[in-house]
């Protein structure tokens, strides 16, 4: 049995089989003075496995997308079995006495460059095929599982790191826990794991497990421990492992009992002495998280990270796609408020089709509202979808990364223009179309759109210092303590070497929260917290005393915070 320790990123215990996950970005090392015969044999075996994999992919693809589209996998099989590919790999291994991975990678690169240089468009396109084929063989040689987003069986995922879009693409019903070698507690992958209530440990110095190495893994997301027992280990330490397994099965049962106890707090509102309510809401990344929000008794959605709609998609989501998602969210929440944050792209959330330039300091760069205010067509599409969805439930809109008053004023101008366009469209619409909005006349439609609360995220020191003025412009504040901590302390939230310095309890951060709440109340608006600090029970009573009106967090944390407020 092997034990590894990392940082606990999402609580809970999982016990299951594991899968080594490869994100497709393989790094290939050149190893010299290798045993040539052995490397040739490794290549042959990996090639055969790749051919088999491609055959299976072809069969699956025929069922899902039809023969014509599936043919690409047959082409890959043929290219791989072609003598040109194999001869090149073999001669690199023989002539340079190098490892098979390097020879395959070199061959892939050379053939890809050759196709790329051809004039014919069809032949040019074969360049990508060559890279793909070489990547598949290298992956098999390195013993990693295929990166597909789908999982055959429920399992624990072990990976170098997972990008937010990869995490979101995974079939969550099959992911029992995440273990990553890299990643920080504040990364969006860790946040997503908490949102989904999936145990996670990050920064684990765990070696790569080959695809043939199966076994059982225990992930302790409370303590940050990971244990692995392969069939090989079982021969020497069966008893020790069995004891550990028993211990963890007991812990898992206690955990589940605790969760059941917390369920008894459901439906109990939290009031202050002055009769005002403290709302406990959910942070979600998409409509599929709403079930978890409802299950955990959320008073509403305090943060819908709309950028995940963009991250999941291969191109800009259309107005209709966004409208459908926002409408479904408000309908499912059935009268409870859903605060949807406009897209917060940039920094660690990069999307290819946005074509954002490389930046030396992305966290201080072109992100969030800065993109929306310079590429207004993207912003207007999202606002149209949001306002249209507002006719179907209790929707509020929130804007991220605000640093100046002019930004809020410009946002409000654009929002007013979008509303006017929609109202004109509504007036001209047929009765059938009007029925689709559930509203019966132009005046009620206008009132609904104008009644949508507009709020801002207070997540920069500038917004805190301007909170008195900003409070006069908006309907609510929501404090993003993740970024507020990063920008106040000048500590990169993504950098795991700085975790010791990333102190969300820092007096400067707490002072800023207090100041924001006070300034909002002076202007008669409310303030929530939607950063990770909202779920920190060591601060729950402090937030209550400060007058914070709403705490919004991963659905799985809500009942724990409620317990802190009602039972202590
Ligand atoms: C925050 O910064 O606290 C926040 C909630 O936004 P995100 O984590 O998505 O940047
Ligand atoms: Mg933020």
């Amino acid at each position: 049995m092997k034990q590894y320790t990392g940082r606990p990123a999402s609580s809970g215990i999982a016990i299951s089989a594991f899968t080594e996950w490869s994100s497709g970005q393989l790094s290939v090392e050149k190893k010299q003075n290798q045993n040539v015969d052995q490397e040739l044999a490794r290549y042959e075996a990996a090639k055969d496995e790749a051919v088999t994999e491609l055959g299976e992919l072809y069969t699956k693809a025929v069922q899902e997308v039809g023969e014509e589209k599936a043919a690409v996998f047959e082409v890959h099989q043929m290219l791989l079995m072609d003598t040109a590919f194999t001869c090149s790999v073999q001669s690199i291994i023989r002539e340079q006495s190098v490892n098979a991975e390097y020879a395959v990678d070199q061959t892939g690169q050379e053939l890809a460059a050759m196709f790329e240089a051809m004039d014919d468009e069809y032949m040019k396109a074969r360049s990508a095929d060559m890279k793909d084929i070489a990547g598949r063989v290298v992956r098999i040689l390195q013993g990693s599982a295929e990166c597909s987003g789908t999982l055959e069986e429920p399992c624990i995922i072990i990976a170098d790191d997972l990008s937010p879009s990869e995490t979101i693409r995974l079939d969550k019903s099959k992911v029992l826990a995440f273990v990553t070698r890299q990643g920080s507690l504040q990364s969006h992958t860790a946040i997503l794991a908490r949102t989904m209530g999936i145990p996670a440990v990050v920064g684990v110095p765990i070696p790569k497990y080959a695809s043939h190495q199966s076994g059982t893994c225990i992930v302790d997301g409370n303590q940050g421990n990971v244990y692995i027992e392969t069939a090989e280990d079982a021969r020497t330490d069966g008893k020790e492992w069995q004891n550990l397994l028993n211990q963890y099965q007991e812990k898992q049962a206690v955990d589940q009992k605790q969760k059941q106890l917390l369920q008894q707090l459901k439906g109990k509102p939290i009031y202050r002495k002055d009769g005002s309510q403290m709302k406990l809401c959910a942070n979600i990344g998409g409509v599929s998280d709403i079930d978890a929000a409802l299950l955990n008794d959320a008073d509403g959605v305090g943060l819908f990270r709309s950028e995940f709609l963009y991250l999941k998609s291969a191109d800009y989501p259309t107005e209709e796609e966004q409208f459908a998602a926002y409408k479904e969210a408000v309908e499912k929440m059935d009268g409870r408020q859903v605060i949807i944050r406009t897209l917060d792209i940039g920094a660690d959330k990069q999307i290819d089709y946005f074509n954002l330039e490389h930046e030396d300091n992305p966290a201080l760069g072109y992100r969030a509202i800065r993109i929306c205010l310079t590429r207004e067509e993207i912003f207007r599409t999202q606002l149209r979808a949001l306002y249209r969805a507002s006719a179907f439930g209790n929707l509020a809109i929130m804007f991220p990364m605000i640093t100046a008053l002019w930004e809020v004023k410009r946002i409000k101008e654009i929002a007013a223009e979008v509303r006017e366009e929609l109202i004109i469209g509504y007036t001209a619409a047929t009765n059938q179309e009007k029925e689709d909005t559930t509203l019966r006349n132009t005046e009620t439609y206008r009132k609904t759109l104008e009644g949508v609360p507009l709020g801002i995220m207070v997540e920069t020191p500038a917004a805190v210092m301007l909170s008195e003025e900003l409070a006069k412009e908006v309907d609510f504040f929501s404090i993003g303590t993740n970024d507020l901590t990063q920008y106040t302390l000048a500590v990169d939230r993504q950098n795991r070497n700085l975790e010791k310095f990333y102190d969300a309890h820092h007096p400067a951060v707490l002072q800023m929260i207090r100041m924001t709440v006070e300034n909002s109340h002076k202007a008669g608006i409310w303030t929530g917290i939607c950063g990770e600090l909202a779920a920190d029970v060591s601060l729950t009573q402090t937030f209550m005393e400060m007058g914070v009106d709403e705490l919004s967090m991963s659905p799985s944390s809500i009942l724990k915070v409620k317990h802190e407020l009602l039972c202590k």
Side-chain angles (χ1 to χ4, degrees), residues 188 303 305 341 349 457 459 480-483 493 530-531:
H188 279 91
L303 169 62
R305 288 184 163 95
R341 175 174 77 181
K349 286 174 279 192
M457 297 232 13
E459 53 184 343
T481 50
N482 310 337
D483 277 320
R493 66 191 263 195
C530 66

Side-chain angles (χ1 to χ4, degrees), residues 7 25 31 37 50 146 181 351 364 389 401 453 459 477:
R7 284 182 298 283
Q25 289 158 349
K31 292 187 190 155
D37 289 338
E146 179 150 38
R181 298 182 181 88
I351 301 182
L364 303 183
M401 277 295 290
E459 53 184 343
F477 284 158

Side-chain angles (χ1 to χ4, degrees), residues 116-188:
E116 183 65 44
M118 293 184 182
D119 287 336
D120 183 279
E121 282 308 309
Y122 175 82
M123 294 313 277
K124 254 189 200 304
R126 302 285 65 77
S127 164
D129 289 321
M130 290 322 307
K131 287 187 196 151
D132 207 351
I133 293 163
R136 178 174 296 280
V137 181
V138 168
R139 177 181 53 71
I140 293 169
L141 281 164
Q142 293 184 338
S144 307
E146 179 150 38
C147 166
S148 69
T150 49
L151 297 161
E152 295 292 316
E153 296 291 333
C155 65
I156 290 166
I157 298 280
I158 301 178
D160 281 346
D161 203 0
L162 289 156
S163 68
S165 45
E166 269 177 317
T167 315
I168 207 93
R169 256 190 245 129
L170 280 164
D171 178 355
K172 291 167 212 160
S173 65
K174 303 246 175 73
V175 179
L176 300 178
F178 291 115
V179 176
T180 63
R181 298 182 181 88
Q182 292 149 27
S184 79
L185 298 181
Q186 308 307 323
S187 68
H188 279 91

Side-chain angles (χ1 to χ4, degrees), residues 257-317:
K257 206 159 182 199
Q258 177 79 1
K259 278 189 185 145
Q260 277 161 11
L261 268 177
L262 290 176
Q263 292 293 322
Q264 291 169 7
L265 300 174
K266 279 172 95 166
K268 296 192 176 155
I270 297 153
Y271 292 107
R272 289 196 180 75
K273 286 190 195 102
D274 67 1
S276 62
Q277 192 186 350
M278 159 81 112
K279 288 213 272 173
L280 297 184
C281 296
N283 290 352
I284 63 169
V287 178
S288 57
D289 296 329
I290 288 193
D291 290 341
L294 291 171
L295 199 71
N296 288 285
D297 205 25
D299 291 317
V301 168
L303 169 62
F304 180 146
R305 288 184 163 95
S306 73
E307 57 273 15
F308 287 110
L309 282 177
Y310 293 73
L311 279 161
K312 259 201 255 181
S313 179
D315 203 345
Y316 296 99

Side-chain angles (χ1 to χ4, degrees), residues 3-16 156 176-179 198-202 204 217-228 244 247-248 251-252 255:
Q3 178 182 350
Y4 309 98
T5 304
R7 284 182 298 283
S10 178
S11 64
I13 288 160
I15 305 171
S16 151
I156 290 166
L176 300 178
F178 291 115
V179 176
I198 296 174
V201 184
V202 299
V204 187
C217 180
I218 299 174
V219 177
D220 179 347
N222 306 327
Q223 303 293 328
N225 291 323
V226 177
Y227 305 88
I228 289 196
L244 189 78
Q247 257 177 42
Y248 268 99
K251 277 192 194 175
Q252 207 177 22
D255 240 37

Side-chain angles (χ1 to χ4, degrees), residues 212-249:
H212 65 269
Q213 279 179 293
S214 57
T216 306
C217 180
I218 299 174
V219 177
D220 179 347
N222 306 327
Q223 303 293 328
N225 291 323
V226 177
Y227 305 88
I228 289 196
E229 174 86 342
T230 58
E232 211 173 292
D233 299 325
R235 278 186 228 121
T236 51
D237 56 21
K239 215 171 186 181
E240 195 191 345
W241 172 253
Q242 196 52 51
N243 285 343
L244 189 78
L245 203 56
N246 292 345
Q247 257 177 42
Y248 268 99
Q249 275 161 347

Side-chain angles (χ1 to χ4, degrees), residues 15-16 55 61 102 111 154 158 204 261 267 318 327 343 384 464 472 477 522 545:
I15 305 171
S16 151
Y102 176 76
L111 292 175
I158 301 178
V204 187
L261 268 177
T318 62
K327 174 172 177 274
L343 72 109
R384 282 179 65 87
V464 176
K472 293 176 193 146
F477 284 158
K522 260 197 267 171
E545 171 268 314

